[in-house]
Each structure stands twice: as C-alpha cells, then as structure tokens.
C-alpha cells in the first residue's frame, strides 16, 4: 500500500464503481480497492473515532490504515439481500465502515451522511428552493382528495414519483391513475407539476461542471425504450453553474449529479434533484470521460 | 406485501415524515438550518462524528470487534463502558453483557460482531434541555433523577458547550446529552426533538415552554413552490 494511493470503496456489482476504477487506471493513478461486499461479509475494523490515524481496516488477510491514503472515493450502494442474520452483521460492518470513513480528515468523495437530504425528495426540493433554484410545484400526500385537487391545479399535467431515495419510474398522471388515488391511503406519493422540456444533467466535481442534455419522448428518460432518446454535451450558463457548485458545497458534497429540466416555454431551469452518489458512467461516455478526468484530478490532488 | 414492497413503503413513510419535520415551509420545532444532514442528529454515533468535525467536544468511541474492544478496554473502570451495536440494537453497558446470557440469545456470536465502545468515567448522564435559549440541566443516575442546580460547576460546563451547539444548529428546542470522559463532560448526542421520555423528568419546566412555542405557530403548511 502506498501513501500516495487513492482508496476506492465500492461494490463490484456496481457499474459506476467499475467505471471509476477503470477511469482512474487509465489516468495511471495509484489506487487500492476495498470491496464493499466482501468487507461486509468478512471484514473487520478497529480504531478510535477521534483519532482517524488509528483506524485499521482488515479484509482478506490484509490490513491497512485508512488515514494512510491520499484521498478516498466511497460508493456505498445497498448490499445484496441475504439471510436476515447474516444481513444484520453485514449491515453492521457497513455502518461501521461508513462511520470510519466519515471520521477521516482526508478528502472523501463523498463523505457518508453528506447529501442525506436526497432521502426525502420533498425535503430536498424545499432546500433547493431555498438555494435559489426554480422547483416544480410539489405535493406529497396520502390523501386522495388532496392529490386530486393538486393534480387539477397543474395546467400542464402532473407527474408522480417516490418521496424517498428508493428508485421509482417517474410517470405522468393519467385519467386511469385518478381512479387509483384511494390507494394513496397505504403509501404517500410525491406529485409534481409537469415541466415540458429537455432534461439537463449536470455533474459537479467540486468547482467544475459538466452538462449533458437529454432529449426523450418519455417522462423518465432513464426508461425510454423508444430508441429515439439522444444525449449530447450541454454548455451550462455561468449563473446556473455557479448555483450548482454552491449547492453541492452547501450539501457537504465534493461530487454531485444534478437533475434539471429546461422549460420549453421560457427557458427557465427547474431543479428536480441533487444526487449525492451519482451514477455518472453513461454521461461520462457521452462527454468523452470529462467527468472521470475531473474526478481523477480531484482525488489525485487530495 | 413482499419484502421489497414493504421496504419501499417504509422508505416512503419515513421520507414523508422527515419532510414534515425538516422540510416544511412553516417553522417546525427542532428544525435544523437548511443544508444540515437530517440523519446525523438522529443517531448517537453519527451525531458524534458530525459534531467532532465541527470542532465540538464529543465522547470518543472505539470501534472494532467486541472481543478486541473488550481486550483493549481491560484496564478501564469496571462497568463504565457503553456498547453501541452496529446493527442499531439498543446500547448496553458492557458489564451487562455475556455471550452466554440466555436473555441475549441474539448476542451469542457477539464476539465477532462490530461494535462501538465508549469508555466513561461513570454512568451518570447530564442532559441539557433547551427551549428558546432557556436551559435546564438534568442529571440521570442509576437511582435518582434530580435536577442539577444551575450554578453548579458541571451545569455551567455543559451549558457553555450546549449554547455553542444550539447556536450552530439553530434550533429552538433540543436535548443535548453529555457523558464524562477523562474528567470532562463531552457530548454524547444531540436529540431533535426533545425525546418524550424526558418530559416527566423535567417537572414543570418543559411543558409550559413547549406550549408557548407551539402556540406561536400560526402558519399553515403550504405546498413547496410555486417558484414562477
């Protein structure tokens, strides 16, 4: 293990993590990998949280001082589900590793706990509005009448999605959906006015921004199966870039993926979400690896 | 409902509640400043890591396998080690634990599990209750729950730290728990809101103050936006 190495913590199941490992290898950056899945099954950790230099992580017979690294890239994706008893121990190791990495004084991309607001989209939406972003009118409710009233108030239509960080496919509200509103009593849903326009994804690597414009006929372009969706580099207006950098820092993040829509009618940018652990590999390919180059430079400079 | 659906519904309910508490557009008791990570105030260990990075004096935790932690703490005062389970189970004093204890069957393999152990000078806990810059210090011991005199040295010590935390968090109400390490009182956790189990311990002090804060709330929740 070298003192100049970058520690990469993540799962081999995660394509974004694999992409990051390969990108840093291409940049000839010295790196060590801590396999999150394996650590959570068999790993150990020992040390004092008020002295990060004392924290030692052991896995597969090798032990390392976490503080010996130049910087750390950590992607804490969910563990695979298994037997409940095994899972409790695994999640325990997961939590302790998060605590240890949170306590480090070095650059951590991103520090566990930063960007927690993403666990509640309504909460984060309120924060984004506070930071000066335009946000869609939103209503989170489990009351059918409240939902119906909100939907009717949205002249350009409404969409619905999950409140939490659990992934959901964003859908437009249809007449058929109105008949299902009584089901809300079992689970609240986040409704938003529909903004018609191009999707814009901006990745912020500390003070550098990389934009991609997505054109899709689907409400949720991630699930567009028409084969007609397109992605291309997007020149970010300076004021918007500054706001994206500012909100990323305010959330305690070094790296973020910000979802926006540019309103077709007046060109306003509506901010939907700040992802604290962005799955960026697809956008990186669109941008000829510009995101991973910025990420590599940030991690290399510590 | 299968496990996946149950997990989804749980997450939706939790995030909706979080919005009510942290994200409402009207004032909420215990609301942290915008940008504060909500989770760090909910859990002792995470709370301590966050507050330590902000420069506050917090209890030190040793993390590791219970077997190795037990060995490393062999010379510490007996019975004053608090163990926090990584899986979120309730914390326990180390002296109350026994891997062979039938009352803790889930702990039979505990020696291999990861834990956080906090060595304290004694089991006493000081709690600073805060409502609108008014403070009450309570001492929680094994046997009694007397309120601490406001001019005692230990009350002044924890109140001084509490005032800095309150200014940093920007909350109107909270409970700050302290434990003693190396002769100094250090933060164990910051709890937003004040846990309900503390209410009866605070006598007549807490309720009228909370009532005053609540009755000031004349606003009605409004949906987020519009921003046009």
């Amino acid at each position: 293990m070298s003192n100049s190495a970058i520690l990469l913590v993540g799962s081999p199941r995660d394509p974004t993590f694999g992409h990051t490992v390969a990108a840093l290898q291409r940049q000839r950056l010295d790196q060590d990998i801590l396999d999150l899945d394996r650590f959570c099954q068999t790993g150990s950790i020992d040390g004092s949280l008020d002295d990060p230099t004392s924290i030692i992580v052991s896995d597969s017979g090798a032990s390392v001082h976490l503080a010996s690294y130049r910087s750390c890239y950590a992607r804490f994706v969910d563990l695979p589900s298994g037997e409940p008893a095994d899972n409790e121990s695994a999640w325990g190791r997961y939590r302790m590793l998060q605590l240890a990495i949170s306590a480090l004084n070095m650059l951590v991309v991103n520090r566990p706990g930063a960007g927690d607001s993403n666990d509640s989209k309504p909460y984060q939406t309120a924060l984004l509005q506070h930071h000066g972003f335009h946000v869609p009118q939103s209503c989170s409710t489990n009351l059918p009448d409240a939902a119906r009233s909100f939907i009717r108030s949205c002249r350009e239509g409404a969409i619905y999605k999950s409140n939490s960080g659990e992934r959901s496919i964003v859908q437009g509200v249809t007449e058929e959906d109105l008949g299902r509103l009584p089901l809300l009593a079992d689970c609240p849903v986040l409704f938003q006015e529909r903004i018609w326009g191009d999707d814009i994804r901006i990745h912020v690597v500390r003070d550098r921004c990389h934009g991609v414009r997505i054109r899709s006929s689907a409400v949720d372009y991630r699930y567009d199966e028409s084969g007609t969706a397109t992605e291309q580099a997007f020149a970010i207006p300076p004021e918007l870039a500054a706001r994206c950098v500012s909100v990323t820092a305010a959330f305690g993040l070094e790296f973020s993926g910000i979802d926006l829509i540019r309103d077709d009618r007046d060109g306003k940018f509506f901010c939907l979400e700040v992802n604290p652990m962005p799955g960026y590999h697809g956008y990186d390919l669109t941008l000829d690896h510009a995101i991973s180059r910025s990420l590599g430079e940030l991690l290399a400079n510590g | 409902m299968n496990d996946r659906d149950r997990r989804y519904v749980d997450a939706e309910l939790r995030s909706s509640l979080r919005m009510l508490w942290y994200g409402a557009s009207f004032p909420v008791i215990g609301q942290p400043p915008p940008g504060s990570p909500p989770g760090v105030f909910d859990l002792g260990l995470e709370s301590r890591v966050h507050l330590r990075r902000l420069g506050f004096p917090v209890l030190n935790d040793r993390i590791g396998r219970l077997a190795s932690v037990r060995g490393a703490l062999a010379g510490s005062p007996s019975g004053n080690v608090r163990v926090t389970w990584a899986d979120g189970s309730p914390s326990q004093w180390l002296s109350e634990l026994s891997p062979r204890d039938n009352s803790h069957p889930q702990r039979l393999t505990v020696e291999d599990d990861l834990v956080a152990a906090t060595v304290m000078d004694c089991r006493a806990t000081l709690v600073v209750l805060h409502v609108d810059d008014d403070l009450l210090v309570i001492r929680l011991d094994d046997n009694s729950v007397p309120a601490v005199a406001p001019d005692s040295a230990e009350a002044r010590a924890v109140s001084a730290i509490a005032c800095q935390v309150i200014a940093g968090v920007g909350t109107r109400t909270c409970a700050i728990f302290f434990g003693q390490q190396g002769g100094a009182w250090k933060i164990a956790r910051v709890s937003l809101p004040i846990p309900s189990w503390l209410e009866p311990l605070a006598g007549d002090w807490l309720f009228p103050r909370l009532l005053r804060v609540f009755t000031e709330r004349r606003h009605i929740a409004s949906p987020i936006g519009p921003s046009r």
Side-chain angles (χ1 to χ4, degrees), chain A residues 164-176:
Chain A
S164 69
E166 291 287 325
R167 176 168 277 211
S168 64
I169 302 174
V170 185
Q171 311 260 21
V173 178
T174 63
E175 282 299 317
E176 187 182 332

Side-chain angles (χ1 to χ4, degrees), chain B residues 83-131:
Chain B
V83 175
T84 303
W85 306 104
D87 65 10
S89 304
S91 300
Q92 289 170 272
W93 293 102
L94 193 56
S95 59
E96 295 168 356
L97 293 172
S98 166
R100 294 180 196 83
D101 187 345
N102 286 334
S103 67
H104 300 105
Q106 75 276 24
R107 297 294 175 218
L108 289 174
T109 58
V110 73
E111 302 293 330
D112 288 330
D113 280 354
L114 294 181
V115 299
T118 316
V119 187
M120 285 183 267
D121 296 350
C122 58
R123 290 195 181 193
T125 298
L126 291 181
V127 187
V128 178
L129 299 180
H130 160 249
V131 181

Side-chain angles (χ1 to χ4, degrees), chain A residues 110 114-117 123-135 202-204 206-207 209 239-260 271-276, chain B residues 34-36:
Chain A
N110 283 314
D116 262 5
S117 62
Y123 169 60
Q124 194 188 62
T125 303
L127 291 182
L128 292 170
Q129 189 175 27
H130 176 82
H131 278 276
F133 282 102
H134 298 293
V135 296
I202 296 177
H203 287 92
V204 179
R206 189 173 279 174
D207 56 359
C209 293
E239 186 187 347
L240 177 62
R243 186 161 287 137
C244 290
V245 168
S246 164
V247 80
T248 299
F251 283 8
L253 301 169
E254 299 286 351
F255 181 32
S256 70
I258 303 180
D259 293 321
L260 305 107
C271 189
L272 306 179
E273 191 176 354
V274 175
N275 296 283
Chain B
S36 296

Side-chain angles (χ1 to χ4, degrees), chain B residues 4-163:
Chain B
R4 188 166 170 272
D5 288 347
R6 189 173 296 115
R7 190 179 69 166
Y8 179 84
V9 172
D10 283 351
E12 291 304 286
L13 290 170
R14 271 189 278 107
S15 69
S16 300
L17 288 172
R18 175 173 287 187
M19 175 197 64
L20 285 177
W21 191 254
Y22 295 102
S25 53
F26 55 96
V28 173
I29 295 173
Q31 187 174 14
S36 296
V40 300
F41 295 102
D42 300 336
L43 300 163
L45 285 170
E46 282 77 2
S47 178
R48 290 201 280 280
V49 168
H50 181 68
L51 290 167
R52 183 182 291 110
R53 291 190 59 77
L54 294 176
F56 292 109
V58 299
L59 292 174
N60 180 35
D61 305 285
R62 185 177 180 88
I63 56 175
R65 291 182 191 274
L66 183 59
S68 66
V69 169
R70 199 194 292 272
L73 303 179
S76 65
S78 172
N80 293 344
V81 180
R82 188 86 174 160
V83 175
T84 303
W85 306 104
D87 65 10
S89 304
S91 300
Q92 289 170 272
W93 293 102
L94 193 56
S95 59
E96 295 168 356
L97 293 172
S98 166
R100 294 180 196 83
D101 187 345
N102 286 334
S103 67
H104 300 105
Q106 75 276 24
R107 297 294 175 218
L108 289 174
T109 58
V110 73
E111 302 293 330
D112 288 330
D113 280 354
L114 294 181
V115 299
T118 316
V119 187
M120 285 183 267
D121 296 350
C122 58
R123 290 195 181 193
T125 298
L126 291 181
V127 187
V128 178
L129 299 180
H130 160 249
V131 181
D132 281 351
D133 297 331
D134 230 353
L135 303 182
L136 177 73
V137 183
I138 295 176
R139 184 186 178 100
L140 305 177
D141 286 317
D142 283 349
N143 302 316
S144 60
V145 195
V148 172
D151 59 348
S152 72
E154 59 185 10
R156 283 200 303 274
V158 295
S159 296
I161 298 170
C163 286

Side-chain angles (χ1 to χ4, degrees), chain A residues 119-222:
Chain A
D119 288 346
S120 173
K121 289 191 181 79
Y123 169 60
Q124 194 188 62
T125 303
L127 291 182
L128 292 170
Q129 189 175 27
H130 176 82
H131 278 276
F133 282 102
H134 298 293
V135 296
Q137 278 199 69
S138 306
C139 175
S140 172
T141 186
N142 67 341
L143 300 173
D145 287 346
R148 189 173 291 108
S149 170
F150 177 80
I151 292 164
R152 283 189 182 137
S153 75
C154 298
R155 280 176 295 181
E156 302 293 330
I159 59 95
Y160 64 96
K161 57 185 174 183
S162 63
N163 289 283
S164 69
E166 291 287 325
R167 176 168 277 211
S168 64
I169 302 174
V170 185
Q171 311 260 21
V173 178
T174 63
E175 282 299 317
E176 187 182 332
D177 292 325
L178 296 177
R180 298 195 301 140
L181 289 179
L183 295 174
L184 283 177
D186 295 325
C187 183
V189 168
L190 176 60
F191 295 91
Q192 289 183 324
E193 66 172 318
R194 183 161 185 180
I195 310 293
W196 295 83
D198 291 342
D199 286 285
I200 308 293
R201 170 81 165 204
I202 296 177
H203 287 92
V204 179
V205 184
R206 189 173 279 174
D207 56 359
R208 291 191 196 169
C209 293
H210 303 280
V212 172
R213 186 191 69 191
I214 305 102
R215 285 200 166 141
S216 163
S217 56
V219 176
D220 190 334
Y221 69 81
R222 297 169 301 175

